[in-house]
Coordinates of all heavy atoms in Angstrom, one line a residue:
M12 N 157.9 136.7 69.7 CA 159.0 137.0 69.0 C 158.6 138.0 67.6 O 159.4 138.6 67.1 CB 159.7 135.8 68.4 CG 159.9 134.8 69.3 SD 161.6 135.0 70.0 CE 162.0 133.5 70.7
D13 N 157.3 137.9 67.4 CA 156.9 138.8 66.4 C 157.2 140.3 66.6 O 157.4 141.1 65.7 CB 155.3 138.6 66.1 CG 155.0 137.3 65.5 OD1 155.9 136.7 64.9 OD2 153.9 136.8 65.7
D14 N 157.0 140.7 68.0 CA 157.4 142.0 68.4 C 158.7 142.4 67.9 O 158.9 143.6 67.6 CB 157.3 142.2 69.9 CG 155.8 142.2 70.3 OD1 154.8 142.1 69.4 OD2 155.5 141.9 71.5
L15 N 159.7 141.4 67.9 CA 161.0 141.8 67.5 C 161.2 142.0 66.1 O 161.9 142.7 65.7 CB 162.0 140.6 68.0 CG 162.2 140.4 69.5 CD1 163.0 139.2 69.8 CD2 163.1 141.7 70.2
S16 N 160.4 141.2 65.3 CA 160.5 141.2 63.9 C 160.0 142.7 63.4 O 160.4 143.2 62.3 CB 159.9 140.1 63.3 OG 160.6 138.9 63.6
A17 N 159.0 143.0 64.1 CA 158.4 144.4 63.8 C 159.0 145.5 64.1 O 158.9 146.6 63.4 CB 156.9 144.5 64.2
A18 N 160.0 145.5 65.1 CA 160.6 146.7 65.5 C 161.7 147.3 64.6 O 162.4 146.4 63.8 CB 161.4 146.5 66.9
A19 N 161.8 148.5 64.3 CA 162.7 149.1 63.3 C 163.9 149.7 64.0 O 164.7 150.2 63.2 CB 161.9 150.2 62.5
T20 N 164.2 149.6 65.3 CA 165.3 150.1 65.9 C 166.4 149.2 65.8 O 166.4 148.0 65.5 CB 164.9 150.5 67.3 OG1 164.7 149.3 68.0 CG2 163.8 151.5 67.4
A21 N 167.6 149.8 66.2 CA 168.9 149.0 66.1 C 168.9 148.0 67.2 O 169.5 146.8 67.1 CB 170.1 149.9 66.3
S22 N 168.2 148.2 68.3 CA 168.1 147.1 69.4 C 166.7 147.2 70.0 O 166.1 148.2 70.0 CB 169.1 147.5 70.4 OG 169.0 146.5 71.4
S23 N 166.2 146.1 70.3 CA 164.7 145.9 70.9 C 164.8 144.7 71.7 O 165.5 143.9 71.6 CB 163.8 145.8 69.7 OG 164.0 144.9 68.8
A24 N 163.8 144.8 72.6 CA 163.7 143.7 73.6 C 162.2 143.3 73.9 O 161.4 144.1 73.7 CB 164.4 144.1 74.8
V25 N 161.9 142.0 74.2 CA 160.7 141.6 74.7 C 160.8 140.8 75.9 O 162.0 140.3 76.1 CB 159.9 140.8 73.6 CG1 159.5 141.5 72.4 CG2 160.8 139.5 73.3
L26 N 159.9 140.8 76.8 CA 160.0 140.1 78.2 C 158.6 139.6 78.5 O 157.5 140.2 78.1 CB 160.3 141.2 79.1 CG 160.2 140.9 80.5 CD1 161.3 140.1 81.0 CD2 160.2 142.2 81.4
W27 N 158.6 138.3 78.8 CA 157.3 137.7 79.2 C 157.6 136.6 80.3 O 158.6 136.2 80.5 CB 156.6 137.1 78.0 CG 157.2 135.9 77.4 CD1 157.0 134.6 77.8 CD2 158.1 135.8 76.3 NE1 157.6 133.7 77.0 CE2 158.4 134.5 76.1 CE3 158.7 136.8 75.6 CZ2 159.3 134.0 75.1 CZ3 159.6 136.5 74.7 CH2 159.9 135.1 74.4
E28 N 156.6 136.3 81.1 CA 156.5 135.3 82.1 C 155.7 134.0 81.7 O 154.6 134.2 81.0 CB 156.1 136.0 83.4 CG 156.2 135.1 84.5 CD 155.9 135.7 85.9 OE1 154.6 135.6 86.2 OE2 156.8 136.3 86.4
Q29 N 156.3 133.0 82.0 CA 155.5 131.7 81.6 C 155.3 130.8 82.9 O 156.3 130.8 83.7 CB 156.4 130.9 80.7 CG 156.3 131.4 79.3 CD 157.1 130.4 78.4 OE1 157.7 130.9 77.5 NE2 157.0 129.1 78.5
D30 N 154.3 130.2 83.0 CA 154.1 129.3 84.2 C 154.7 128.0 83.9 O 154.1 127.0 83.6 CB 152.5 129.1 84.5 CG 151.8 130.4 85.0 OD1 152.6 131.1 85.7 OD2 150.8 130.6 84.7
D31 N 156.1 128.0 83.8 CA 156.8 126.7 83.5 C 158.1 126.8 84.3 O 158.5 127.9 84.8 CB 157.3 126.8 82.0 CG 156.4 126.0 81.1 OD1 155.8 125.0 81.6 OD2 156.2 126.4 80.0
D32 N 158.8 125.8 84.3 CA 160.2 125.8 84.8 C 161.1 126.3 83.8 O 160.8 126.6 82.6 CB 160.7 124.5 85.3 CG 160.7 123.4 84.3 OD1 160.7 123.7 83.1 OD2 160.7 122.1 84.7
V33 N 162.5 126.7 84.1 CA 163.4 127.2 83.2 C 163.6 126.3 82.0 O 163.6 126.9 80.8 CB 164.7 127.5 83.9 CG1 165.8 127.9 82.9 CG2 164.5 128.5 85.0
A34 N 163.7 125.0 82.3 CA 164.0 124.1 81.1 C 162.8 124.1 80.0 O 163.1 124.1 78.9 CB 164.3 122.7 81.6
S35 N 161.6 124.1 80.5 CA 160.4 124.1 79.6 C 160.3 125.4 78.9 O 160.1 125.3 77.6 CB 159.2 123.7 80.3 OG 159.2 122.5 80.9
A36 N 160.5 126.5 79.6 CA 160.4 127.7 79.0 C 161.6 127.9 77.9 O 161.4 128.4 76.7 CB 160.6 128.8 79.9
A37 N 162.8 127.4 78.2 CA 163.9 127.5 77.2 C 163.6 126.6 76.1 O 163.8 127.0 74.9 CB 165.2 127.0 77.9
G38 N 163.1 125.5 76.3 CA 162.6 124.6 75.1 C 161.7 125.2 74.2 O 161.6 125.1 73.0
G39 N 160.6 125.9 74.8 CA 159.7 126.6 74.0 C 160.3 127.8 73.2 O 159.9 127.8 71.9
V40 N 161.2 128.4 73.7 CA 162.0 129.5 72.9 C 162.7 128.9 71.8 O 162.5 129.5 70.6 CB 162.9 130.3 73.9 CG1 163.8 131.2 73.1 CG2 162.1 131.1 74.9
L41 N 163.5 127.8 72.1 CA 164.1 127.2 71.0 C 163.2 126.6 69.8 O 163.6 126.7 68.6 CB 165.1 126.0 71.5 CG 166.1 126.4 72.3 CD1 167.0 125.2 72.9 CD2 167.2 127.4 71.6
E42 N 162.0 126.1 70.3 CA 161.1 125.6 69.2 C 160.6 126.9 68.4 O 160.4 126.7 67.1 CB 159.9 125.0 69.9 CG 160.2 123.6 70.5 CD 159.1 123.0 71.1 OE1 157.8 123.6 71.0 OE2 159.2 122.0 71.9
A43 N 160.5 128.0 69.0 CA 160.1 129.3 68.2 C 161.0 129.6 67.2 O 160.8 130.0 66.1 CB 159.8 130.4 69.2
Y44 N 162.4 129.6 67.5 CA 163.5 129.7 66.6 C 163.5 128.8 65.5 O 163.8 129.0 64.4 CB 164.8 129.9 67.3 CG 164.9 131.3 68.0 CD1 164.9 131.4 69.4 CD2 165.1 132.6 67.3 CE1 165.1 132.6 70.0 CE2 165.3 133.6 67.9 CZ 165.3 133.8 69.3 OH 165.5 135.0 69.9
A45 N 163.2 127.5 65.9 CA 163.2 126.5 64.8 C 162.2 126.6 63.7 O 162.5 126.3 62.6 CB 163.0 125.2 65.5
D46 N 161.1 127.3 64.2 CA 160.2 127.7 63.1 C 160.5 128.8 62.3 O 159.8 129.2 61.2 CB 158.7 127.9 63.8 CG 158.3 126.6 64.4 OD1 158.7 125.6 64.0 OD2 157.3 126.9 65.3
E47 N 161.4 129.7 62.7 CA 161.8 130.8 61.9 C 162.9 130.5 61.0 O 163.9 129.9 61.2 CB 162.3 131.9 63.0 CG 162.6 133.2 62.3 CD 162.9 134.3 63.4 OE1 162.2 134.3 64.5 OE2 163.4 135.2 63.1
R48 N 162.8 131.0 59.7 CA 163.8 130.7 58.7 C 164.9 131.6 58.8 O 164.9 132.6 59.2 CB 163.1 130.8 57.3 CG 161.9 130.0 57.2 CD 161.5 130.0 55.7 NE 162.3 129.3 54.9 CZ 162.0 128.8 53.6 NH1 160.9 129.3 53.2 NH2 162.7 128.1 53.0
G49 N 166.1 131.0 58.4 CA 167.3 131.9 58.1 C 168.0 132.2 59.5 O 168.6 133.1 59.6
C50 N 167.8 131.4 60.6 CA 168.5 131.6 61.7 C 169.2 130.4 62.3 O 168.7 129.2 61.9 CB 167.6 132.3 62.8 SG 166.3 131.3 63.6
Q51 N 170.1 130.6 63.1 CA 170.9 129.3 63.6 C 171.2 129.7 65.1 O 171.6 130.7 65.6 CB 172.0 129.0 62.9 CG 173.2 129.9 62.9 CD 174.4 129.4 62.1 OE1 174.5 129.7 61.0 NE2 175.3 128.6 62.8
L52 N 171.2 128.6 66.0 CA 171.6 128.6 67.2 C 173.2 128.6 67.3 O 173.7 127.8 66.8 CB 171.0 127.5 68.0 CG 171.4 127.2 69.5 CD1 170.8 128.5 70.2 CD2 170.9 126.0 70.0
V53 N 173.7 129.6 67.9 CA 175.2 129.7 68.1 C 175.7 129.0 69.4 O 176.7 128.3 69.2 CB 175.6 131.2 68.0 CG1 177.1 131.3 68.2 CG2 175.2 131.9 66.7
L54 N 175.0 129.3 70.5 CA 175.2 128.6 71.6 C 174.2 128.7 72.6 O 173.3 129.6 72.5 CB 176.6 129.1 72.2 CG 176.7 130.5 72.7 CD1 176.2 130.7 74.2 CD2 178.1 131.0 72.5
S55 N 174.1 127.7 73.7 CA 173.1 127.8 74.6 C 173.5 127.0 75.7 O 174.4 126.0 75.6 CB 171.7 127.2 74.1 OG 171.7 125.8 73.8
G56 N 173.0 127.2 77.0 CA 173.3 126.4 78.1 C 172.9 127.2 79.3 O 172.5 128.3 79.3
Y57 N 173.0 126.4 80.5 CA 172.7 127.0 81.9 C 173.9 127.9 82.1 O 175.0 127.7 81.8 CB 172.7 125.9 82.8 CG 171.3 125.2 82.8 CD1 171.1 124.0 82.0 CD2 170.2 125.7 83.2 CE1 170.0 123.3 81.9 CE2 168.9 125.1 83.1 CZ 168.9 123.9 82.4 OH 167.7 123.3 82.2
L58 N 173.6 129.0 82.8 CA 174.4 130.1 83.2 C 174.7 129.9 84.7 O 174.0 130.5 85.7 CB 173.8 131.5 83.0 CG 173.2 131.7 81.6 CD1 172.5 133.0 81.5 CD2 174.4 131.6 80.6
G59 N 175.7 129.1 85.0 CA 176.1 128.8 86.4 C 175.9 127.2 86.6 O 175.6 126.5 85.7
I60 N 176.0 126.9 88.0 CA 176.0 125.6 88.4 C 174.6 125.0 88.6 O 174.4 123.9 88.9 CB 177.0 125.3 89.5 CG1 176.7 125.9 90.7 CG2 178.4 125.3 89.0 CD1 177.5 125.7 91.9
S61 N 173.7 126.0 88.8 CA 172.3 125.6 89.0 C 171.5 125.6 87.9 O 172.0 126.1 86.9 CB 171.7 126.5 90.1 OG 171.5 127.8 89.6
D62 N 170.2 125.1 88.0 CA 169.3 125.2 86.8 C 168.4 126.4 86.9 O 167.3 126.5 86.2 CB 168.4 124.0 86.7 CG 167.6 123.8 87.9 OD1 167.8 124.5 88.9 OD2 166.9 122.7 87.9
G63 N 168.8 127.5 87.5 CA 167.9 128.6 87.7 C 168.2 129.8 86.7 O 167.3 130.7 86.6
A64 N 169.0 129.6 85.8 CA 169.2 130.5 84.6 C 169.9 129.8 83.4 O 170.8 129.0 83.5 CB 170.2 131.6 85.1
W65 N 169.2 130.2 82.2 CA 169.6 129.5 81.0 C 169.9 130.8 79.9 O 169.1 131.7 80.0 CB 168.6 128.6 80.5 CG 168.8 128.0 79.2 CD1 169.5 126.8 79.0 CD2 168.3 128.4 77.9 NE1 169.5 126.5 77.7 CE2 168.8 127.5 76.9 CE3 167.6 129.5 77.4 CZ2 168.5 127.6 75.6 CZ3 167.4 129.6 76.3 CH2 167.8 128.8 75.2
G66 N 170.7 130.6 79.0 CA 171.0 131.6 78.0 C 171.2 131.1 76.6 O 171.7 129.8 76.5
A67 N 171.0 131.8 75.7 CA 171.3 131.4 74.2 C 171.6 132.7 73.4 O 171.3 133.7 73.6 CB 170.1 130.7 73.6
I68 N 172.4 132.3 72.4 CA 172.7 133.4 71.3 C 172.1 132.7 70.0 O 172.6 131.7 69.7 CB 174.3 133.6 71.1 CG1 174.7 134.0 72.5 CG2 174.5 134.7 69.9 CD1 174.4 135.5 73.0
V69 N 171.3 133.5 69.3 CA 170.7 133.1 68.0 C 171.1 134.0 66.9 O 170.9 135.2 67.2 CB 169.2 132.9 68.1 CG1 168.6 132.3 66.8 CG2 168.8 131.9 69.3
Q70 N 171.6 133.6 65.9 CA 171.9 134.4 64.8 C 171.1 134.5 63.6 O 170.8 133.3 63.1 CB 173.4 134.2 64.4 CG 173.8 135.2 63.4 CD 175.4 135.1 63.1 OE1 176.0 134.2 63.6 NE2 175.9 135.9 62.2
G71 N 170.5 135.5 63.1 CA 169.9 135.5 61.9 C 170.6 136.2 60.7 O 171.8 136.6 61.0
E72 N 170.0 136.6 59.6 CA 170.8 137.2 58.5 C 171.4 138.6 58.8 O 172.4 139.0 58.6 CB 170.0 137.2 57.2 CG 169.8 135.8 56.7 CD 168.9 135.9 55.4 OE1 169.0 136.9 54.8 OE2 168.3 134.9 55.2
T73 N 170.5 139.3 59.6 CA 170.8 140.7 59.9 C 170.7 141.1 61.3 O 170.7 142.3 61.8 CB 169.9 141.7 59.2 OG1 168.5 141.5 59.4 CG2 170.1 141.5 57.5
W74 N 170.7 140.1 62.2 CA 170.4 140.3 63.6 C 171.0 139.1 64.5 O 171.2 138.0 64.0 CB 168.8 140.4 64.0 CG 167.9 139.4 63.4 CD1 167.3 139.3 62.3 CD2 167.8 138.0 64.0 NE1 166.7 138.0 62.1 CE2 167.0 137.3 63.2 CE3 168.2 137.4 65.2 CZ2 166.5 135.9 63.5 CZ3 167.8 136.1 65.5 CH2 166.9 135.5 64.7
V75 N 171.2 139.5 65.7 CA 171.5 138.6 66.7 C 170.6 138.7 68.0 O 170.4 139.8 68.4 CB 173.1 138.8 67.3 CG1 173.4 137.9 68.4 CG2 174.0 138.6 66.0
D76 N 170.1 137.5 68.5 CA 169.3 137.6 69.8 C 170.1 137.0 70.9 O 170.7 136.0 70.8 CB 168.0 136.8 69.5 CG 167.0 137.5 68.6 OD1 167.2 138.7 68.2 OD2 166.0 136.8 68.4
T77 N 170.0 137.7 72.0 CA 170.6 137.2 73.3 C 169.3 136.8 74.0 O 168.4 137.8 74.3 CB 171.4 138.3 74.0 OG1 172.4 138.8 73.1 CG2 172.0 137.8 75.4
V78 N 169.3 135.7 74.5 CA 168.0 135.1 75.2 C 168.5 134.7 76.6 O 169.5 134.1 76.8 CB 167.6 133.8 74.5 CG1 166.3 133.3 75.3 CG2 167.2 134.1 73.1
Y79 N 167.6 135.2 77.6 CA 167.9 134.7 78.9 C 166.5 134.3 79.5 O 165.5 134.8 79.3 CB 168.1 136.0 79.9 CG 169.4 136.8 79.5 CD1 169.3 137.9 78.7 CD2 170.7 136.4 79.8 CE1 170.4 138.7 78.2 CE2 171.7 137.1 79.4 CZ 171.6 138.3 78.6 OH 172.6 139.1 78.3
V80 N 166.7 133.1 80.2 CA 165.5 132.5 80.8 C 165.9 132.3 82.3 O 166.8 131.5 82.6 CB 165.0 131.1 80.2 CG1 163.7 130.6 80.9 CG2 164.7 131.3 78.7
T81 N 165.2 132.9 83.3 CA 165.5 132.9 84.7 C 164.4 132.3 85.4 O 163.3 132.6 85.1 CB 166.0 134.2 85.2 OG1 165.0 135.2 85.0 CG2 167.3 134.6 84.5
K82 N 164.7 131.7 86.6 CA 163.6 131.3 87.6 C 163.1 132.6 88.3 O 163.8 133.5 88.8 CB 164.1 130.3 88.6 CG 163.1 129.7 89.4 CD 163.8 128.7 90.2 CE 162.7 128.1 91.2 NZ 163.3 126.9 92.0
D83 N 161.7 132.7 88.3 CA 161.0 133.8 89.0 C 159.9 133.2 89.9 O 158.7 133.1 89.4 CB 160.4 134.8 88.0 CG 159.9 135.9 88.7 OD1 160.4 136.3 89.8 OD2 159.1 136.7 88.0
G84 N 160.2 132.7 91.0 CA 159.3 132.1 91.9 C 158.8 130.7 91.3 O 159.8 129.9 91.0
D85 N 157.6 130.5 91.1 CA 157.1 129.2 90.4 C 157.0 129.4 88.8 O 156.6 128.4 88.2 CB 155.8 128.9 90.9 CG 155.8 128.3 92.3 OD1 156.9 128.0 92.8 OD2 154.7 128.6 93.0
A86 N 157.6 130.4 88.3 CA 157.4 130.7 86.9 C 158.8 130.9 86.3 O 159.8 131.0 87.0 CB 156.6 132.0 86.6
A87 N 158.8 131.1 85.0 CA 160.1 131.4 84.3 C 160.0 132.8 83.6 O 158.9 133.1 83.0 CB 160.4 130.4 83.2
L88 N 161.0 133.6 83.7 CA 161.1 134.9 83.1 C 161.9 134.9 81.8 O 163.1 134.5 82.0 CB 161.5 136.1 84.1 CG 161.3 137.4 83.6 CD1 160.0 137.9 83.5 CD2 162.0 138.3 84.8
V89 N 161.3 135.2 80.7 CA 162.0 135.1 79.4 C 162.3 136.5 78.9 O 161.4 137.3 78.8 CB 161.2 134.3 78.3 CG1 162.0 134.2 77.1 CG2 160.8 132.9 78.8
R90 N 163.6 136.7 78.6 CA 164.0 138.0 78.0 C 164.8 137.8 76.8 O 165.6 136.8 76.7 CB 164.9 138.8 78.9 CG 164.3 139.1 80.4 CD 165.5 139.6 81.2 NE 165.1 139.8 82.6 CZ 165.3 138.9 83.5 NH1 165.7 137.7 83.2 NH2 164.9 139.2 84.7
V91 N 164.5 138.4 75.7 CA 165.1 138.4 74.4 C 165.5 139.7 73.9 O 164.5 140.6 73.8 CB 164.3 137.7 73.4 CG1 165.0 137.5 72.0 CG2 163.7 136.3 73.9
V92 N 166.7 140.0 73.7 CA 167.2 141.3 73.2 C 167.8 141.1 71.8 O 168.7 140.2 71.6 CB 168.3 141.8 74.0 CG1 168.8 143.1 73.5 CG2 167.8 142.0 75.5
R93 N 167.2 141.7 70.8 CA 167.6 141.7 69.4 C 168.5 142.9 69.0 O 168.0 144.0 69.2 CB 166.5 141.5 68.5 CG 166.8 141.4 67.0 CD 165.8 141.0 66.1 NE 165.5 139.6 66.3 CZ 164.6 138.8 65.8 NH1 163.8 139.4 64.8 NH2 164.5 137.7 66.0
T94 N 169.7 142.6 68.5 CA 170.5 143.7 68.0 C 170.6 143.4 66.5 O 170.8 142.4 66.0 CB 171.9 143.5 68.7 OG1 171.7 143.5 70.1 CG2 172.8 144.6 68.1
R95 N 170.3 144.5 65.7 CA 170.4 144.5 64.2 C 171.7 145.1 63.7 O 172.1 146.1 64.4 CB 169.2 145.2 63.8 CG 167.9 144.5 63.9 CD 166.7 145.3 63.4 NE 165.5 144.8 63.8 CZ 165.0 144.7 65.0 NH1 165.6 145.2 65.9 NH2 163.8 144.1 65.2
A96 N 172.2 144.6 62.6 CA 173.3 145.2 61.9 C 172.7 146.5 61.2 O 171.6 146.8 60.9 CB 173.8 144.3 60.8
K97 N 173.6 147.5 61.2 CA 173.3 148.8 60.5 C 173.1 148.5 59.0 O 173.6 147.6 58.4 CB 174.6 149.7 60.5 CG 174.7 150.4 61.9 CD 175.9 151.4 61.8 CE 176.2 152.1 63.0 NZ 177.3 153.0 62.8
E98 N 172.1 149.2 58.4 CA 171.9 149.1 56.9 C 173.4 149.3 56.2 O 173.8 150.3 56.5 CB 170.8 150.0 56.5 CG 169.5 149.4 56.9 CD 168.4 150.2 56.2 OE1 168.4 150.6 55.0 OE2 167.3 150.5 56.9
G99 N 173.6 148.6 55.3 CA 174.7 148.8 54.3 C 176.1 148.3 55.0 O 177.0 148.4 54.3
S100 N 176.0 147.7 56.1 CA 177.2 147.1 56.7 C 177.5 145.8 56.3 O 176.5 145.1 56.0 CB 177.1 147.1 58.3 OG 176.2 146.2 58.6
A101 N 178.7 145.4 56.1 CA 179.2 144.2 55.5 C 179.1 143.1 56.7 O 179.4 143.4 57.8 CB 180.6 144.3 55.1
G102 N 178.7 141.9 56.3 CA 178.6 140.9 57.3 C 179.4 139.9 57.0 O 179.8 138.9 57.1

């Protein structure tokens, strides 16, 4: 997630694969956000009736992250897209 914090563009993304199932990878992502100050989980849950895809929305002071964790064979693929507010915009 450090890559997202360092980016200076209005929108940035990171992607990685974990040798985990979707639930374990999603739990790890939530733990990483729990360690970050000034953000809150807006919503999270499975995307559909199977356990093959999970998503979350996390809001910080000046950004919103959209998180997707999907099954990729025996691994989990994690995608996080961060969208930042324009400088000087009211929140």
Side-chain angles (χ1 to χ4, degrees):
M12 306 272 199
D13 293 336
D14 292 342
L15 291 171
S16 298
T20 60
S22 181
S23 55
V25 292
L26 169 77
W27 69 90
E28 189 173 87
Q29 284 185 218
D30 289 331
D31 264 328
D32 60 16
V33 170
S35 296
V40 169
L41 291 177
E42 286 177 13
Y44 281 111
D46 292 341
E47 191 166 328
R48 299 185 81 161
C50 70
Q51 72 179 87
L52 180 64
V53 176
L54 61 90
S55 68
Y57 285 98
L58 307 173
I60 58 173
S61 73
D62 60 355
W65 177 90
I68 304 292
V69 180
Q70 184 176 358
E72 290 183 29
T73 60
W74 52 264
V75 173
D76 283 358
T77 305
V78 182
Y79 303 98
V80 181
T81 55
K82 186 175 181 177
D83 186 26
D85 291 335
L88 189 61
V89 180
R90 299 171 189 91
V91 181
V92 178
R93 176 164 290 177
T94 306
R95 289 176 186 72
K97 286 183 178 180
E98 283 191 40
S100 63

